[in-house]
Every structure is written in structure tokens, then in C-alpha cells.
Amino acid sequence: MNPIYHNLEFGITCIDTQHMRKDFVAAYLIKDNDRAAFVDTGCHLSVPTLLATLDANNIPRENVDCVLLTHIHLDHAGGAGELIKYLPNATVYVHERGAQHLINPSKLRKGVIDVYGELFFKQFLGDLIPIPEDRIVIAKDGDEITLGNRTLEFIDSPGHARHHVCIWDQASQGFFSGDTLGVSYREFDTDQGELIFPPTTPVQFDPIIWKNTIERLMSFKPKYAYLTHFNRIEFTQHSANMLIQHIDGFVKISEKLKHSESRHKAIKEHLLDYLLAISTDHGVNLDETQQVKLFKGDLEICAQGLGVWLDRNSS
Ligand SMILES: [Zn+2]
């Protein structure tokens, strides 16, 4: 197993979990003195990559104190149950709304299969192993933990999902942001910087709450966001404005199409047009087929999430 990872500054390593494609789903390893923590795990199938990254960086498995989960969507947390089998001293930190679904993952598994289908679950996510209750600690807003010489703080971050926390790293002045500070693929970087858009994943997307969360996170004056999708970016007020603008853009599309006959299909098509247009404005130079390929997974999920949000709002 040859893991793919990028050692960043401040003892932080971005691991490519190689879920679906390269440069799509990251997990992070933080090392401080001789202690280590993972932030997010990728899915069940990503665990060998995470362990190989520890080995390649000469970090004994006993030195991993914790696994910090931003939220329980499976591309972030699906590997946690399997991973901690190999980490005898690791405690899992998770939002209180997520904990019970990791202890007993049957509902989470069903929810994921409803969205992605059984075949996708088996082929691309692998499995979902329960986490023993005594290895879980609830991460509440404002809670701090110490890792080596650094302090990490959990910030309740609803909007993308209600079970989401971001983790503030004082040492690097950055947020491990899960999905809350958006998705930004390195293929779309131009001299204008990063292209950032919101993953409006089912079933808890809430635009107003999300925008409030972004505002709160910006009050920390972050320098960096460690995105799950994908890698570290400098996160400025401009980045936040772009993300908020596109949350509004996605919402506008879904509201315009809420009565259309094949609503899901229509939302998906309009989202693609929207993303292609913002990428052109951003000076992206990839041909359209490549862009469609890179956007494909997000389009399906974002359209589903917007549909669920429309239904929730109209009932
Ligand atoms: Zn998510």
C-alpha cells in the first residue's frame, strides 16, 4: 500500500483517501510532539491508506490519541469504526447528534443506501462498523482538547448538516472544516484563486443556518480551511463571500424549479449550467467533458439535497 499524502506546515498531513478518484476526499493527520490525531477518516475502504500514512511518517499506532469527526456523512466518518480497531488509545470525538448513529449505524446505513443505492455502498463505501460507546466522546461547542502542545477547539457548525462540528486549530489559525466551508477541487484553481461551492447534501441542508455558521467561523479570522474536498486552501473573506453567493445561487435555482415536472432532473441540469458558468467566469481552462466528470457526483447529491430542502419548506 503506497499512501498518497501531502505534508503541509504545522505538523499537518493531508491524506488522499482515494475514495472514487484522486484528490476528491481528504482525511487529515495532525502530529504534535509525539502525539497524533486524525481528522475525518474517509470511508471504510480508506482505512489501509490511513494506517500506511502513519507507518510512512513513523508514527506508532499507540500514539494516536483521537479521531475527530467533523460529521457523520460516510465520506468523512465511515472508516472510524474500522480505524479504531487498530488504534488502541484513540477516542472518537463527534457531535452529539451523530454519536448514536455511530454506536448503532443501522439508520445511517439505511439513509446512505437510500441516497446512493446498495451497489454504490458496497463497491465504493465498503462497510460501516459500529463504534463501541465507551470509545466515543461528545464534542460540544467550545470544548477544547490538547494534542501535544496545541489546543483544538470544536465549533458547532450546522447548515450543511446538524451533526457538524468544525475544529479550530490555534497553531495554524485554520479550521478543519469538513463540508462547512465548501467544496473546492484543485483542478479548478486559476490565477483568480480557488473556486468554492456548497455541497447541499441531503437531508439537513439549511441555507440560512449555514450562512450564519460561516459568519461565525469568519469571526475567528481564519487563515486556512482544511477542506475534506479537497486539501488546504487559504480562506479569506472573499472565499466566504463566494461560498455564500453560491449557496444563494443554488437555492434560487431550486426555488425557480420547485413546481417543474421532473424537478430533480431539472435542478441537476440547471446546477450544471450554473457551475459551468461560474467556472468560466473564474477562468478555468478545462474542457467541458472534464468539468462535467468532476462535477458529476456533487450534482446528483446537491440536487437531491435541494429537493429535500424544498419539500421540508413546503410542508
Ligand atoms: Zn457532508
Side-chain angles (χ1 to χ4, degrees), residues 71 73 75-76 160-161 163-164 179 199 201 229:
H71 62 306
H73 289 157
D75 49 339
H76 301 256
H160 167 78
H163 45 82
H164 202 303
D179 286 339
T201 313
H229 316 280

Side-chain angles (χ1 to χ4, degrees), residues 143-160:
D143 282 356
E144 293 183 347
I145 58 167
T146 303
L147 183 79
N149 283 331
R150 80 216 276 157
T151 303
L152 299 164
E153 182 183 353
F154 297 101
I155 307 297
D156 191 17
S157 307
H160 167 78

Side-chain angles (χ1 to χ4, degrees), residues 114-134:
D114 287 349
V115 172
Y116 293 90
E118 180 95 45
L119 191 70
F120 181 94
F121 178 81
K122 287 225 168 86
Q123 198 174 350
F124 295 108
L125 296 166
D127 205 350
L128 185 56
I129 305 283
I131 300 178
E133 193 168 354
D134 60 3

Side-chain angles (χ1 to χ4, degrees), residues 185-246:
Y185 300 124
R186 304 282 56 80
E187 291 90 337
F188 294 89
D189 288 350
T190 67
D191 51 12
Q192 291 184 47
E194 295 88 7
L195 184 72
I196 304 167
F197 63 92
T200 57
T201 313
V203 289
Q204 296 177 342
F205 163 65
D206 189 310
I208 294 168
I209 291 175
W210 195 345
K211 289 190 282 183
N212 288 339
T213 293
I214 295 166
E215 233 170 79
R216 181 169 174 220
L217 296 180
M218 290 314 289
S219 73
F220 284 71
K221 305 208 181 315
K223 285 191 181 140
Y224 300 110
Y226 300 92
L227 307 176
T228 301
H229 316 280
F230 180 88
N231 210 337
R232 180 182 76 173
I233 61 172
E234 283 181 27
F235 203 89
T236 60
Q237 189 59 50
H238 173 73
S239 320
N241 295 346
M242 186 190 304
L243 178 58
I244 289 169
Q245 183 193 334
H246 299 324

